[in-house]
Amino acid sequence: DAGVIQSPRHEVTEMGQEVTLRCKPISGHNSLFWYRQTMMRGLELLIYFNNNVPIDDSGMPEDRFSAKMPNASFSTLKIQPSEPRDSAVYFCASSTRAAGEQYFGPGTRLTVT
Amino acid sequence: AQSVTQPDIHITVSEGASLELRCNYSYGATPYLFWYVQSPGQGLQLLLKYFSGDTLVQGIKGFEAEFKRSQSSFNLRKPSVHWSDAAEYFCAVGRYNAGGTSYGKLTFGQGTILTVHP
């Protein structure tokens, strides 16, 4: 089993640029979650989807952030325009709704200069 | 709303010593409870989970946790710590809906960093 796949693993970009993070959940999982982790704020849930539909996006910090899940095997998190304070590790996780436990990807470390 | 408190930000133990990491939750009904571990530069890995039944659950890497409803706690334990256990540990709580399945959203504690001295 491949687990949750995220790309890229590392991203360095300049302020103002668009950043797109990608996630492939575990096959058969119908819930997908995007988290952000920083030293100051810990692990924050940004948005989650059930069956490709966004359920709760209350954690999305600003309109600069958007997420999509066009099908059951792919999701993107986009930041446009990026700012230095967006620097963090972004995790994607997936689960089967009935089970509850989430399986995390390796994360994308984003640095905005 | 549910919440999770991990009272200890940082714990240091000697290799071979026993370990207990504390977790307290706030939720009106029986929750789903989880412990995750995160090694530096890695994602979170599920150690163990509690849904129902036996209140003492066994996990991977020799860890166990005990659900105590009266204390709203789900503490993680290991009888003998190895240097490779040094990591950050997160407790998380989820909840059921009326049909017995999870709503899917977990609430995580702030984490406890474990340092292991040789």
Side-chain angles (χ1 to χ4, degrees):
Chain A
D1 194 345
V4 176
I5 299 172
Q6 292 187 247
S7 64
R9 292 294 311 276
H10 301 274
E11 177 79 38
V12 180
T13 191
E14 293 183 347
M15 182 174 61
Q17 297 298 306
E18 177 180 297
V19 175
T20 299
L21 311 182
R22 297 173 175 79
C23 175
K24 176 179 171 56
I26 293 172
S27 178
H29 284 192
N30 53 13
S31 294
L32 184 139
F33 307 81
W34 282 101
Y35 291 89
R36 178 172 68 176
Q37 186 178 41
T38 61
M39 290 289 290
M40 292 297 294
R41 301 174 68 90
L43 192 63
E44 303 173 276
L45 177 65
L46 300 178
I47 185 171
Y48 81 96
F49 297 82
N50 275 344
N51 296 319
N52 312 337
V53 175
I55 301 300
D56 183 351
D57 65 354
S58 60
M60 296 286 262
E62 301 170 34
D63 291 345
R64 299 184 296 105
F65 286 70
S66 62
K68 295 182 180 180
M69 193 165 186
N71 57 62
S73 59
F74 184 66
S75 177
T76 60
L77 177 67
K78 185 177 293 186
I79 307 172
Q80 166 63 18
S82 59
E83 296 183 3
R85 59 195 169 114
D86 301 331
S87 298
V89 181
Y90 291 81
F91 289 104
C92 176
S94 70
S95 76
T96 61
R97 189 174 177 213
E101 67 262 33
Q102 296 177 16
Y103 293 87
F104 282 74
T108 296
R109 181 173 295 277
L110 174 65
T111 302
V112 183
T113 60
Chain B
Q2 64 237 46
S3 65
V4 179
T5 301
Q6 294 180 244
D8 305 305
I9 296 174
H10 195 172
I11 284 184
T12 300
V13 299
S14 297
E15 190 169 16
S18 63
L19 172 70
E20 182 168 26
L21 302 182
R22 295 184 291 164
C23 173
N24 295 100
Y25 68 90
S26 172
Y27 177 56
T30 301
Y32 285 104
L33 293 162
F34 307 87
W35 275 100
Y36 285 85
V37 60
Q38 184 180 28
S39 298
Q42 305 294 317
L44 278 71
Q45 180 184 19
L46 181 67
L47 278 177
L48 48 78
K49 61 187 179 186
Y50 173 78
F51 287 168
S52 64
D54 192 346
T55 56
L56 183 65
V57 293
Q58 303 297 320
I60 62 172
K61 304 185 180 187
F63 285 92
E64 66 178 26
E66 186 171 12
F67 171 57
K68 293 186 177 180
R69 183 189 302 276
S70 62
Q71 298 177 18
S72 297
S73 69
F74 188 58
N75 293 350
L76 182 71
R77 302 194 295 248
K78 187 170 184 177
S80 178
V81 171
H82 188 264
W83 64 266
S84 60
D85 294 324
E88 188 164 15
Y89 292 80
F90 293 91
C91 181
V93 61
R95 61 192 178 107
Y96 295 95
N97 62 16
T101 58
S102 168
Y103 277 111
K105 179 177 176 179
L106 300 183
T107 300
F108 284 84
Q110 285 300 102
T112 298
I113 297 171
L114 174 66
T115 298
V116 180
H117 281 165

